Amino acid sequence: MVAPKFQNSACLLFSLLFLPSVSLGIEISGYVKNQAQGPVAATVYINDDFEFNTDINGYFAGEVPAGQLTIYAEATTENVTSKSLRRNFYATSNTEVRLTVSPLRSVTISAELPSNAFGPWLTIFEAVTPSGGELLRENLQTGPMTITSSGQISYTNTYELPEGVYRAQVRAQWPEQEDNMFISWIGFEVMENDNTFKLTTEDRYTLYP
């Protein structure tokens, strides 16, 4: 007679052996192109955990877990690195995407604020896609601060962005406003190898560039 504990172990083993195979993954496929709409040999990154290479026609496919996904592509041609903007979306079924890579450019942004403003954050958004979310968000206090000739405080930082059109917002706490907030906006286009833009205290009157 088989002892009860061995009977239970045998039943569990039998159940595991004949359990139907269940996949929690979905397929993300798509096409990577350049600014001239041509195919690009690129690497596609999803959630920074998965990498998929395109074929010579720019197509790729791979399986990832369903849920919230962040995807972008990166390519290097003739020593020039190009990158697509990060896309965030929620997917529970097979999904096809289109990614456009553009050359990465150096972007230097100077943000001026009133001397009594504090806790400044810089946020950069894509300006072309209406639903485009934030691409970058940074606490400016982690970088160097200078005092301008007019007594304002200024933070200058350099970033890498693909060629394109963007919006930048600076938000800080400012006791001179009823809501205690200082907010300024600028819109800018990145096209050159090196780009420099400045948000001044006057730009706080621009609600949305």
Side-chain angles (χ1 to χ4, degrees):
M1 182 176 179
V2 180
K5 64 176 182 179
F6 293 111
Q7 287 181 330
N8 293 337
S9 299
C11 290
L12 177 60
L13 177 61
F14 179 85
S15 299
L16 291 174
L17 289 174
F18 291 92
L19 185 67
S21 176
V22 178
S23 174
L24 300 179
I26 59 174
E27 183 180 81
I28 302 297
S29 61
Y31 176 72
V32 180
K33 60 183 180 179
N34 57 25
Q35 293 171 305
Q37 307 300 310
V40 175
T43 301
V44 177
Y45 299 89
I46 301 179
N47 287 1
D48 290 326
D49 295 322
F50 301 90
E51 298 180 15
F52 305 104
N53 294 321
T54 65
D55 62 18
I56 60 174
N57 296 311
Y59 289 97
F60 73 94
E63 189 175 272
V64 299
Q68 187 66 38
L69 303 177
T70 299
I71 184 172
Y72 68 95
E74 191 170 297
T76 301
T77 305
E78 297 180 354
N79 296 323
V80 175
T81 299
S82 296
K83 192 174 182 179
S84 72
L85 296 177
R86 287 176 176 262
R87 299 297 185 195
N88 300 293
F89 59 96
Y90 191 84
T92 57
S93 59
N94 294 348
T95 303
E96 187 173 323
V97 298
R98 294 287 185 270
L99 300 171
T100 301
V101 296
S102 301
L104 282 176
R105 303 303 188 193
S106 175
V107 179
T108 300
I109 297 179
S110 295
E112 294 182 358
L113 300 98
S115 58
N116 57 345
F118 59 95
W121 284 82
L122 172 73
T123 307
I124 297 177
F125 305 84
E126 184 191 6
V128 176
T129 304
S131 60
E134 63 182 48
L135 303 174
L136 178 153
R137 190 168 187 266
E138 181 175 71
N139 181 356
L140 292 178
Q141 288 183 310
T142 60
M145 183 194 76
T146 59
I147 305 297
T148 68
S149 58
S150 60
Q152 311 288 349
I153 56 177
S154 178
Y155 298 90
T156 300
N157 292 280
T158 300
Y159 311 95
E160 279 194 327
L161 293 172
E163 289 183 357
V165 182
Y166 301 90
R167 293 178 289 117
Q169 179 203 72
V170 169
R171 178 186 293 263
Q173 298 183 57
W174 192 37
E176 293 187 22
Q177 285 286 99
E178 286 187 13
D179 60 0
N180 293 319
M181 293 300 298
F182 173 91
I183 300 176
S184 63
W185 287 93
I186 61 166
F188 60 95
E189 184 174 12
V190 175
M191 292 297 293
E192 308 298 330
N193 286 330
D194 296 294
N195 306 264
T196 302
F197 306 101
K198 179 184 288 187
L199 287 97
T200 69
T201 53
E202 294 300 315
D203 291 313
R204 76 182 180 92
Y205 298 106
T206 303
L207 296 180
Y208 198 84

